[in-house]
Amino acid sequence: MLQEKKSKRSAWIALVCVAALLLLVMVLENTMQPTSMLFTVLKKGAVYALVAASLNLLNGFTGLFSLGQAGFMLLGAYTYAILTISSADRESVYYLYGGSAVNFSLPELFGGGTLGLILGVLAALILAGCVAAVVAWLIGLPVLRLKSDYLAIATLGFAEIIRAIFQWDALGPVTNGANALKNFPTFSSFNIENADGVVVFRLSTFVPFLLAAVCIGIMVLLINSTYGRAFKAIREDEVAAEAMGINLAKHKRMAFCISSFFAGVGGGMFAMFANQAQAKTFTTAMTYEILLIVVIGGIGSISGSCIASFLYVAASEWWLRFLDAETYIGSFKVPFLRTGFRMVVFSIIIMVVVLFFRRGLMGDRELGDVARSLRARLSGKAKQKGAAK
């Protein structure tokens, strides 16, 4: 009973913290300059946090080493874009192929306007996740029989094959070949405008935070359920898990499909962030970025993945930007500062972090565990002081 009360209290505290964070994002967005790099970092960080959490669900909590996340993001991005491009813009987007094979737009099917936009985008993101999950189920039938490095190589090959297929000219009326898909609703589409088209209330950063928070919250609930405990048991010892009655094939396939579903949703959100969907964006390097975020945050920690996502994006795209600019002090040119030096320094920082934080920033702990540990330590010190007096 006591444990149940503690878990409920922790859940309420988490909800309050998330609500406060969403409110803070909304306030900052409507009080600061919208062109600030901060909002670019926050948007991309929210998208990467969702994808990193989905990869952690598979790699960290189930123990399946997959490198196909970019492929599932690509499926999600294209599904979202194809289903939401307005009918009026389809001819201009698919002009090289004489028009689009898909002649409807989900926001328009839901009646257009604000309500149609919200329902259409939500439906498109859910379908993006579903397409990724269905493909994951199909390739999971043969691939999940493999283990460790072999599974990683197989999923990496799948991601490369998907990227090549989507650039195939024969699929041009659907995917637009190697060309980008554009003119679909983005995060900026949710800004509220007056009759003159002037933005009066901004929600372009609040929306990705809200979507990511809901999806990550669902993953946390799953991890804390009986299915999550089964995933962890498979990670620790497959033989012991099977002896306890856990169906290994079923639970591995479930973890793979759920992870792919949220990667697909993340891919749709990435298309909204980038204002376009193009296959060449979803390279192997993107999967490595997501994997690196998971390792830095801590394999087996959703909180760590979220924190590391924002730190990674901020460091790589904002804080170290000055290293790419040639700088002079008087007539003296500062050595090394030139285009590309930012990534050299960033790589060194990552190496230092990995060397000194072998288990990542959070290890396998969550923020709640850290808060409880800190509270216990502070109460212990208070008791020691009281005893000393």
Side-chain angles (χ1 to χ4, degrees):
M1 182 67 74
L2 182 62
Q3 186 66 28
E4 187 177 345
K5 286 184 177 179
K6 284 185 177 179
S7 63
K8 285 184 178 179
R9 182 184 175 187
S10 299
W12 279 109
I13 292 174
L15 283 174
V16 170
C17 291
V18 170
L21 178 61
L22 291 172
L23 182 62
L24 176 63
V25 168
M26 189 186 296
V27 171
L28 287 176
E29 189 174 15
N30 287 280
T31 54
M32 294 178 61
Q33 285 292 332
T35 54
S36 172
M37 192 64 186
L38 171 65
F39 299 116
T40 302
V41 170
L42 291 177
K43 291 173 191 175
K44 189 174 181 178
V47 175
Y48 269 33
L50 172 56
V51 181
S54 72
L55 183 60
N56 211 344
L57 174 66
L58 192 63
N59 288 17
F61 290 94
T62 315
L64 298 175
F65 188 26
S66 170
L67 291 176
Q69 221 67 359
F72 296 118
M73 288 179 70
L74 184 151
L75 287 169
Y78 269 78
T79 301
Y80 171 81
I82 290 167
L83 295 176
T84 55
I85 296 174
S86 65
S87 301
D89 292 324
R90 285 188 180 273
E91 188 174 346
S92 63
V93 173
Y94 289 90
Y95 71 95
L96 290 175
Y97 300 95
S100 170
V102 179
N103 295 312
F104 67 89
S105 172
L106 285 180
E108 293 173 5
L109 286 180
F110 283 102
T114 303
L115 182 61
L117 173 68
I118 295 171
L119 294 178
V121 167
L122 288 177
L125 288 175
I126 291 171
L127 287 172
C130 290
V131 168
V134 169
V135 173
W137 185 83
L138 290 173
I139 70 167
L141 293 174
V143 165
L144 291 178
R145 299 175 185 271
L146 304 172
K147 293 182 180 180
S148 187
D149 299 343
Y150 300 102
L151 176 60
I153 293 169
T155 51
L156 182 62
F158 149 76
E160 291 299 307
I161 291 169
I162 287 290
R163 188 158 61 92
I165 289 174
F166 270 68
Q167 297 180 82
W168 188 24
D169 271 347
L171 293 177
V174 178
T175 64
N176 206 24
N179 306 294
L181 293 174
K182 298 180 180 180
N183 298 335
F184 49 77
T186 64
F187 294 138
S188 299
S189 303
F190 291 89
N191 291 333
I192 299 174
E193 300 177 349
N194 60 18
D196 298 325
V198 178
V199 176
V200 294
F201 196 76
R202 300 185 182 278
L203 293 171
S204 58
T205 308
F206 172 81
V207 168
F209 263 76
L210 179 62
L211 292 172
V214 171
C215 293
I216 292 171
I218 293 172
M219 276 189 273
V220 170
L221 291 175
L222 175 68
I223 290 166
N224 292 326
S225 69
T226 54
Y227 290 108
R229 287 191 282 274
F231 294 160
K232 293 175 186 176
I234 293 171
R235 176 193 64 189
E236 297 300 329
D237 192 326
E238 289 190 9
V239 176
E242 192 171 24
M244 292 294 291
I246 296 173
N247 187 325
L248 295 183
K250 173 187 173 183
H251 284 84
K252 282 183 178 181
R253 199 176 300 120
M254 183 185 297
F256 193 51
C257 290
I258 293 171
S259 172
S260 302
F261 173 86
F262 288 111
V265 175
M269 290 173 61
F270 186 85
M272 296 175 74
F273 163 76
N275 299 332
Q276 65 175 20
Q278 194 167 15
K280 69 179 184 180
T281 306
F282 300 92
T283 60
T284 306
M286 179 176 283
T287 296
Y288 293 153
E289 279 186 329
I290 303 299
L291 181 61
L292 183 60
I293 288 170
V294 172
V295 172
I296 291 173
I299 297 176
S301 171
I302 297 295
S303 302
S305 295
C306 295
I307 294 170
S309 297
F310 289 100
L311 290 177
Y312 179 90
V313 174
S316 62
E317 299 197 10
W318 186 18
W319 295 338
L320 300 179
R321 279 285 179 187
F322 70 95
L323 296 174
D324 279 352
E326 293 186 355
T327 304
Y328 288 85
I329 300 176
S331 59
F332 174 73
K333 180 182 177 181
V334 179
F336 302 116
L337 296 185
R338 64 191 67 182
T339 303
F341 187 63
R342 163 176 58 98
M343 297 311 298
V344 174
V345 175
F346 183 60
S347 301
I348 294 172
I349 292 172
I350 289 172
M351 288 169 58
V352 171
V353 170
V354 172
L355 285 173
F356 289 94
F357 295 90
R358 294 291 178 90
R359 301 183 63 213
L361 298 175
M362 298 289 290
D364 58 356
R365 299 177 301 167
E366 303 294 346
L367 284 176
D369 301 326
V370 175
R372 281 192 292 272
S373 175
L374 183 60
R375 189 164 58 245
R377 193 173 298 177
L378 291 174
S379 63
K381 288 182 178 179
K383 288 179 181 178
Q384 288 178 0
K385 287 183 180 179
K389 289 180 181 179

